[in-house]
Amino acid sequence: MIETPYLLFLGDAPDPLAAKVAQGIKDWRPDNCVGQFRMSGCKADMNLPDMTLEEAKAAGAKTLVIGVANRGGKISAAWKEVLIDALDQGFDLASGLHNLLRNETDLTEKAAATGRALHDVRIPEVEYPIANGEKRRGKRVLAVGTDCSIGKMYTALALDRDMKEAGLKSSFRATGQTGILITGEGVPLDAVVADFMAGAVEWLTPDNDDDHWDVIEGQGSLFHVSYSGVTLALIHGGQPDALVLCHEPTRTHMRGLPGYALPSLEALRDMALELARVPNPGCQVIGVSVNTAALDDGEAEAYLRQVEDRMGLPAVDPYRHGTAPLVEALKAM
Amino acid sequence: MIETPYLLFLGDAPDPLAAKVAQGIKDWRPDNCVGQFRMSGCKADMNLPDMTLEEAKAAGAKTLVIGVANRGGKISAAWKEVLIDALDQGFDLASGLHNLLRNETDLTEKAAATGRALHDVRIPEVEYPIANGEKRRGKRVLAVGTDCSIGKMYTALALDRDMKEAGLKSSFRATGQTGILITGEGVPLDAVVADFMAGAVEWLTPDNDDDHWDVIEGQGSLFHVSYSGVTLALIHGGQPDALVLCHEPTRTHMRGLPGYALPSLEALRDMALELARVPNPGCQVIGVSVNTAALDDGEAEAYLRQVEDRMGLPAVDPYRHGTAPLVEALKAM
């Protein structure tokens, strides 16, 4: 668990896209952000107050979160200076970088000396159990996709936000590094050892109030041959009551797999539902979430209506329209 | 890769079942075994020559394989004496024990001093790639089961043996610890990190001659919620041309999951085939392998004929009858 609130480290981001982790935190958990720390040449801006480490500390920040991708896969000397200074001033550090904080000797020595924590969210910090398949109290909804990187995290975060606004009890359950940094906790499922994947998802979504919803972040796709095993562990460990199908209508092949066509929404519905009913015979598909970023307003509207007619399910773009029809469907369950 | 041939270490096995790893090696790769090493009180016997370390060395043995489960999860002082002596005499050590050889300081020091290898087959020794889904040359057959521990390894080993006897080119591809010790190589799939599972299976079953068959050892079950992700990684990484369905007809619930009924063979066939056709649209289910150990001869025969009638596929118990009808079906592909 990463202590909040955060100071967002944007470093020397060469463009806004490089700071997309910081953007995610700012968009979804603005209350977790007291300010941003930018170095000279930084081309990203979260519209948060620019703060020195001292100012952020005074404003209550507990953790400096690296919200930017590093260039060339190494932590530069200029970054290092800030990170060490932050440890000296009592900040924990959190990072989703491929190269780990814990592999930098100067950082581990400083963290030990100051008693601060280094959170590498790519690496599990828990010994997860093997899944036992026992039915848990509370309700769960999972986003599954026709492909990877198709909007499952965005859908889950929007659903969680809209459910809370509608007065439902809900928790976003992060299963990837960006989601973990946004919420401060979760399971980095792609880094968990095979035998413990489903158990990690059970651990992440424990017994809860009967009217509480876990909104579980999806990973991969049942139809993506590189990562499908991770997806199935989410379905079987999460034992969802409800599934949301995620899709992007202009994609020409599975991400990173040029020879592989995307499945239809119908194929995803049938496959995911049959597998989800192994641990939870009552599971239902309650709607479709479409990333229509590549379509204009009229095309997006037409596509969503066509999906609704075809599938007999509400279809939304959560970015354009929010997820109200999905929330209604969950409320009715 | 573990160097063969082996001296099988049976230790102080309290009963024959404790030495089932040694039994597997002896049954399936007798040519890999020059002899057995038994301590006083050993109740297991592979019907191999009893040898001292010196005798086994003289007979050409390269590796001392721990073919017996240890009591209480620790390597006893009596075992340790033999293992250290073996390293001194030039043997490598191989083990599938939960507690690792590499965590025993006296063994690592002795191995370093003597230049010998310690093989813990529960732990991957390779950095596997992420699966790329590219079509590989050669053919592959995979055993999938209605449950875990239902005879998938036995089926694959029997199929590999019978295919070779029928003059086909075939390689058994181990994905679990016993299989790895039997063949001296493979992937301990349940210990691979999630993102690399399918890539590990691709690595295990690379391009080969067009008329060569990889016979891939299955793991888990698509319907077993604890391990289903591992099974799907095998299906998508292995891109099998042929599937064999494995079943045990008297089991009352999924192994370790009292609330979960076994799926029908029909449900397994349909689910496994649809998923296998993602990487390999030509994949076929070619037969059923039934573990009939709990049935008498007449019951077994009746059950197999009933399955054949129902499924329109050859059904065999590989232990009772061999796998000839399955080999015929593979030959015809």
Side-chain angles (χ1 to χ4, degrees):
Chain A
M1 178 119 194
I2 304 169
E3 280 204 80
T4 56
Y6 301 153
L7 174 63
L8 299 182
F9 177 77
L10 309 186
D12 44 5
D15 53 55
L17 195 62
K20 68 178 178 181
V21 168
Q23 192 69 55
I25 301 172
K26 165 65 190 334
D27 288 348
W28 294 106
R29 292 291 183 274
D31 293 350
N32 280 354
C33 308
V34 304
Q36 62 188 11
F37 184 104
R38 300 194 291 172
M39 292 162 54
S40 82
C42 181
K43 299 285 201 306
D45 185 355
M46 300 301 124
N47 294 312
L48 288 167
D50 283 295
M51 290 187 177
T52 63
L53 295 171
E54 292 79 1
E55 290 165 347
K57 194 74 198 164
K62 299 277 198 294
T63 302
L64 182 74
V65 174
I66 299 180
V68 57
N70 53 343
R71 308 186 207 197
K74 61 190 289 267
I75 297 176
S76 69
W79 281 29
K80 199 60 91 46
E81 209 173 299
V82 180
L83 302 184
I84 286 181
D85 203 6
L87 290 168
D88 264 329
Q89 298 198 31
F91 288 89
D92 292 339
L93 303 182
S95 159
L97 301 177
H98 269 290
N99 45 330
L100 304 181
L101 299 176
R102 70 184 65 177
N103 289 341
E104 304 285 323
T105 312
D106 41 3
L107 294 182
T108 53
E109 284 174 358
K110 180 59 80 179
T114 56
R116 306 318 313 166
L118 303 178
H119 297 286
D120 287 303
V121 301
R122 282 189 182 269
I123 304 293
E125 295 189 335
V126 172
E127 281 202 25
Y128 303 112
I130 286 181
N132 63 27
E134 287 172 19
K135 184 73 188 156
R136 305 188 293 288
R137 290 179 53 230
K139 292 184 181 299
R140 287 156 196 88
V141 52
L142 171 68
V144 294
T146 51
D147 194 3
C148 299
S149 307
I150 208 155
K152 293 185 298 293
M153 184 183 79
Y154 194 99
T155 299
L157 283 162
L159 202 49
D160 173 55
R161 174 196 64 201
D162 298 345
M163 289 168 80
K164 287 192 170 86
E165 278 177 14
L168 296 171
K169 291 188 211 168
S170 138
S171 305
F172 171 75
R173 299 300 190 185
T175 62
Q177 49 155 337
T178 303
I180 295 172
L181 287 173
I182 288 173
T183 57
E185 58 189 337
V187 168
L189 193 58
D190 61 7
V192 172
V193 164
D195 250 2
F196 304 98
M197 294 186 298
V201 181
E202 291 189 348
W203 175 92
L204 181 68
T205 59
D207 268 324
N208 214 316
D209 296 344
D210 288 333
D211 59 346
H212 175 276
W213 283 91
D214 278 329
V215 185
I216 309 173
E217 181 189 356
Q219 295 292 335
S221 165
L222 289 171
F223 294 84
H224 193 295
V225 297
S226 309
Y227 309 114
S228 53
V230 181
T231 311
L232 186 49
L234 272 160
I235 292 173
H236 279 169
Q239 51 187 230
D241 302 277
L243 296 172
V244 175
L245 311 180
C246 299
H247 187 54
E248 203 282 284
T250 68
R251 204 168 283 189
T252 54
H253 62 74
M254 299 293 278
R255 188 172 167 91
L257 302 175
Y260 287 79
L262 269 69
S264 67
L265 280 163
E266 287 85 347
L268 173 63
R269 174 195 63 200
D270 295 344
M271 177 64 72
L273 202 53
E274 184 170 352
L275 288 165
R277 286 180 172 169
V278 171
N280 191 343
C283 184
Q284 302 287 342
V285 173
I286 57 102
V288 183
S289 173
V290 183
N291 176 349
T292 64
L295 307 180
D296 69 29
D297 282 346
E299 289 168 339
E301 189 62 31
Y303 185 81
L304 291 168
R305 295 299 79 79
Q306 182 248 327
V307 168
E308 292 195 331
D309 288 347
R310 250 171 65 202
M311 309 284 294
L313 291 168
V316 300
D317 180 329
Y319 185 80
R320 276 185 142 117
H321 317 111
T323 66
L326 306 183
V327 175
E328 282 308 307
L330 292 174
K331 249 186 175 165
M333 283 186 77
Chain B
M1 181 119 193
I2 304 169
E3 280 204 80
T4 55
Y6 302 154
L7 174 63
L8 299 182
F9 177 76
L10 308 187
D12 43 6
D15 52 55
L17 195 62
K20 68 180 179 180
V21 168
Q23 192 69 56
I25 301 171
K26 165 65 191 330
D27 287 348
W28 294 107
R29 293 292 183 273
D31 292 352
N32 281 354
C33 309
V34 304
Q36 61 187 13
F37 184 103
R38 299 196 291 172
M39 291 162 55
S40 82
C42 181
K43 300 285 199 306
D45 185 355
M46 300 300 125
N47 294 313
L48 289 166
D50 282 296
M51 290 186 177
T52 63
L53 294 171
E54 293 77 2
E55 289 164 347
K57 194 75 199 163
K62 299 275 201 294
T63 303
L64 181 74
V65 174
I66 298 180
V68 57
N70 53 343
R71 307 187 208 196
K74 60 190 288 267
I75 297 176
S76 69
W79 281 29
K80 199 61 89 50
E81 208 172 301
V82 179
L83 302 184
I84 287 182
D85 203 7
L87 289 168
D88 263 328
Q89 298 199 31
F91 288 89
D92 293 339
L93 303 182
S95 160
L97 300 178
H98 269 289
N99 45 330
L100 305 181
L101 300 176
R102 70 184 65 176
N103 289 340
E104 305 285 323
T105 312
D106 42 2
L107 294 181
T108 53
E109 284 174 359
K110 181 58 81 178
T114 56
R116 306 318 314 166
L118 303 179
H119 297 285
D120 287 303
V121 301
R122 282 189 183 268
I123 304 294
E125 295 189 334
V126 172
E127 282 201 25
Y128 303 112
I130 286 180
N132 63 27
E134 288 172 19
K135 184 74 189 155
R136 306 189 293 288
R137 288 179 53 231
K139 293 184 181 298
R140 287 155 199 89
V141 53
L142 172 68
V144 293
T146 51
D147 193 3
C148 300
S149 307
I150 207 154
K152 294 186 297 295
M153 184 184 79
Y154 194 99
T155 299
L157 283 162
L159 202 50
D160 173 55
R161 173 198 63 202
D162 298 344
M163 289 168 80
K164 287 190 169 86
E165 276 177 16
L168 296 171
K169 291 188 209 169
S170 139
S171 305
F172 171 75
R173 299 300 189 185
T175 62
Q177 51 156 336
T178 303
I180 295 171
L181 287 172
I182 289 173
T183 56
E185 59 190 336
V187 168
L189 194 57
D190 61 9
V192 172
V193 165
D195 249 3
F196 304 98
M197 295 185 298
V201 181
E202 290 188 348
W203 175 91
L204 181 68
T205 59
D207 268 323
N208 214 317
D209 296 344
D210 289 332
D211 58 348
H212 175 276
W213 284 90
D214 277 330
V215 185
I216 308 173
E217 181 190 355
Q219 295 293 336
S221 165
L222 288 171
F223 294 85
H224 193 294
V225 297
S226 310
Y227 309 114
S228 54
V230 181
T231 311
L232 186 48
L234 272 161
I235 292 173
H236 280 170
Q239 52 186 230
D241 302 277
L243 296 172
V244 175
L245 311 180
C246 297
H247 188 53
E248 202 283 285
T250 68
R251 202 168 285 190
T252 55
H253 62 73
M254 298 294 278
R255 189 173 166 91
L257 303 175
Y260 287 79
L262 270 70
S264 67
L265 280 163
E266 287 85 347
L268 173 63
R269 174 195 63 200
D270 294 346
M271 177 64 71
L273 202 53
E274 184 171 352
L275 288 164
R277 285 179 173 170
V278 171
N280 192 342
C283 184
Q284 302 287 341
V285 172
I286 58 101
V288 182
S289 172
V290 182
N291 177 348
T292 64
L295 307 180
D296 69 28
D297 281 348
E299 290 168 339
E301 189 62 31
Y303 185 81
L304 291 168
R305 294 300 79 76
Q306 182 248 330
V307 168
E308 292 195 331
D309 288 348
R310 250 172 64 202
M311 309 283 295
L313 291 166
V316 300
D317 180 331
Y319 186 79
R320 275 185 143 115
H321 317 112
T323 65
L326 306 183
V327 174
E328 281 309 305
L330 292 174
K331 248 185 174 166
M333 284 188 74

